[in-house]
Every structure is written in structure tokens, then in C-alpha cells.
Amino acid sequence: MSKTVVHILLDSDVIIHFVKAGRISTLIDLFPQRMMMLDRVDEELRKNKTVNVILENMVVWKALSIVPFPAKDLNVFREYAQLIKTKGKGESACLAYCRYHPHIIASSNLKDIRKYCEQYQVAYITTMDILCIALYRQILTERECDEFIQKVRASDSKLPDMGIAKYRDTLFDRSKYSY
């Protein structure tokens, strides 16, 4: 009996965070051959030349798969049509897709995803959760995580204003994640 691989479905904000921090290799180390992105999210990111080059390299290296949005899957399409009324294009696509496919959404846009994910038992991780996993697996040190957070915040992207130790000890829910 073969085991189903659970993929990490990346939303644009997580990719942008790791690009701004200069740590895209951390994602590759953490989730080898498990990262995927819907083509609708890919389209959003391709407008940025730096991100475009990085995404191309990730695809070439087989670290990231670009997956077409399953518009012919009526359940996913109907869900997307409802979600797009109140949420962004990328978040709507990821949420609709993961409601019907057992993957994990990687998004830090908690305002748009948290309530929905909890309602439909869709697994999700944020950039900060990914940093905690990297810390646990000793891919990054506490200092490197804190530097990451500061770089991302200094580049006008949103992350909590706290160090990784405080986040890990107060907000990170270890029970939801298998390392």
C-alpha cells in the first residue's frame, strides 16, 4: 500500500517572505519535492522579475510544481466562485483546492484563511510556523530566524513583531504539525 504524499500548497505571501529574507533554500530543504503552487498564484508572482527567476529555478530543480487550477472540478470551481467574492484570487484558489484535496496551505494571510480552514478542517501553516519547523529541524538557528523576521518586516511585509522564541512558546501549535 502506497502512502499519499501531502504537499505544501504555497500562497504568494510565503514565497515573497522567503525571497525577501534571502532564504528560499530553507523552503527547499524543509519540503523537498513537496511544494506546489496553483497556476493562479504563479501568475500573481510572475509580475516580479526577481521572484520570477527564483520560481523558474525552483521548477527546473523540481523543488516546486506548478499545478493548473482544476476549473473542471465542479466542487472546487463552485467553492472558488464563492470565495473570490470576499478574498484574494490566490487565497480563494488555495482554499477551494485544499478543501477538496488533502494538502497543507502555506499562507500568512490569516485574516483571509484562518476561519475558513478551521471551519472545513483544512490544514495550514504560516511563515512563522515554517520558521519554527526550520528551527526544530536545526535548518535555521534562533538568530537566523530572528534575522529573517527583521528582514521581512523591514521590507514592508507583514510578520508578527516578535522573535521566533516568543512565537514558538506562545503561538506555535506543535500538535498540528508532524515535523
Side-chain angles (χ1 to χ4, degrees):
M1 187 161 82
S2 66
K3 185 178 176 183
T4 302
V5 175
V6 176
H7 287 90
I8 308 300
L9 184 65
L10 297 166
D11 194 12
S12 59
D13 62 332
V14 171
I15 286 284
I16 290 168
H17 290 159
F18 279 84
V19 168
K20 286 182 174 182
R23 289 286 184 173
I24 206 72
S25 62
T26 300
L27 280 177
I28 295 167
D29 291 343
L30 281 172
F31 308 116
Q33 299 178 331
R34 289 183 54 204
M35 291 184 290
M36 57 190 252
M37 182 182 299
L38 292 171
D39 56 0
R40 294 187 180 193
V41 174
D42 182 51
E43 289 166 15
E44 289 178 13
L45 287 170
R46 294 293 177 156
K47 296 168 189 164
N48 180 310
K49 288 181 183 181
T50 302
V51 174
N52 190 18
V53 169
I54 290 168
L55 290 176
E56 281 300 319
N57 287 333
M58 289 176 74
V59 170
V60 168
W61 300 328
K62 300 191 184 320
L64 174 68
S65 300
I66 306 298
V67 179
F69 182 78
K72 292 183 180 178
D73 181 329
L74 289 179
N75 288 327
V76 174
F77 186 76
R78 280 190 205 120
E79 194 68 20
Y80 175 77
Q82 278 302 118
L83 290 166
I84 196 70
K85 295 175 185 176
T86 59
K87 299 176 185 342
K89 187 170 138 180
E91 287 82 10
S92 297
C94 290
L95 290 169
Y97 187 83
C98 283
R99 178 165 180 202
Y100 295 99
H101 298 87
H103 301 301
I104 300 168
I105 296 174
S107 175
S108 291
N109 190 345
L110 293 176
K111 184 183 87 180
D112 277 354
I113 72 158
R114 177 184 280 149
K115 186 175 177 183
Y116 183 92
C117 288
E118 290 169 356
Q119 180 179 356
Y120 294 105
Q121 287 96 40
V122 173
Y124 68 92
I125 55 176
T126 66
T127 297
M128 296 293 284
D129 295 329
I130 294 168
L131 291 176
C132 285
I133 295 167
L135 183 64
Y136 177 82
R137 290 189 185 167
Q138 298 178 344
I139 291 172
L140 295 177
T141 65
E142 187 173 318
R143 184 171 150 247
E144 290 169 325
C145 290
D146 289 341
E147 288 171 357
F148 177 109
I149 294 164
Q150 293 312 311
K151 278 184 184 176
V152 172
R153 288 180 54 79
S155 70
D156 294 327
S157 283
K158 294 181 182 179
L159 281 180
D161 187 14
M162 64 175 66
I164 197 65
K166 183 174 181 182
Y167 181 85
R168 178 195 61 215
D169 295 344
T170 60
L171 298 172
F172 182 61
D173 184 358
R174 287 177 181 85
S175 68
K176 287 170 53 175
Y177 309 104
S178 60
Y179 301 104

